[in-house]
Amino acid sequence: LTSRDNYNNISYQTKPGVQIGGSFGIAIMKRIHLYSKLAYFPRSPIKMTLTARVTDMNGNSMGERQFKTTIQSQQTFINVGFLYNIYAHNVYDFYLSGGVSYAYVNERSKNGNTLADGTAGGYFVGFSAEKDIFNAPFKIVSHMQYAKTANSISGPGIGSRSAFILAFGLNYYF
């Protein structure tokens, strides 16, 4: 396998995985927070189908050929934007979020060739729900977030990507 730039169609058969990360917010108005989130997906195997256009020596198309492989993928997303509290209650809170997204992606084939290595920028939108835990400084939280990156800022083979992140955890309030 060579750089993913050499293929005209790439499809991933990804499965849910473990994300390591956290978020941080600072209230700038009563219902508006400056928000940041870091999500790191450790190196993991992903099945992938690559489709390449086959041409003869004159550049005439001879059809397409598919390659199935497993790659090692590692991704880091950094999101910075705003979090807006759309519903505040003494037990539940609901938020909308959005802003800019920055991604670092590193993909390698089984034999170690680099398929993608670089950064890309884009946007994210999300929804969060929190539940109070017996008036403690902790709240149970769930985040649903969609991140879309445009073509690469740097590095071969990043291309346009999207991710749907569903995360559960605890928020701590100082």
Side-chain angles (χ1 to χ4, degrees), residues 9-117:
N9 186 17
I10 298 173
S11 77
Y12 294 88
Q13 290 86 42
T14 58
K15 296 179 181 173
V18 174
Q19 164 199 319
I20 301 166
S23 59
F24 183 77
I26 298 173
I28 55 175
M29 294 174 70
K30 184 175 181 175
R31 291 183 163 232
I32 299 175
H33 297 77
L34 187 57
Y35 170 78
S36 64
K37 179 175 182 152
L38 172 70
Y40 171 72
F41 297 90
R43 191 167 298 279
S44 61
I46 295 176
K47 291 184 179 183
M48 177 182 213
T49 303
L50 303 131
T51 305
R53 224 176 259 116
V54 180
T55 59
D56 63 16
M57 294 190 318
N58 297 323
N60 299 320
S61 177
M62 296 177 60
E64 294 183 336
R65 184 168 175 207
Q66 283 193 340
F67 304 91
K68 293 187 184 249
T69 187
T70 299
I71 63 163
Q72 292 291 319
S73 179
Q74 173 184 330
Q75 300 181 31
T76 304
F77 288 90
I78 299 171
N79 297 332
V80 177
F82 294 97
L83 186 71
Y84 177 70
N85 186 326
I86 57 174
Y87 178 77
H89 188 268
N90 59 350
V91 177
Y92 296 99
D93 289 304
F94 298 101
Y95 298 91
L96 292 177
S97 60
V100 295
S101 184
Y102 176 80
Y104 168 73
V105 177
N106 180 275
E107 293 177 348
R108 299 201 184 283
S109 64
K110 282 192 244 181
N111 63 4
N113 289 342
T114 299
L115 299 173
D117 187 28

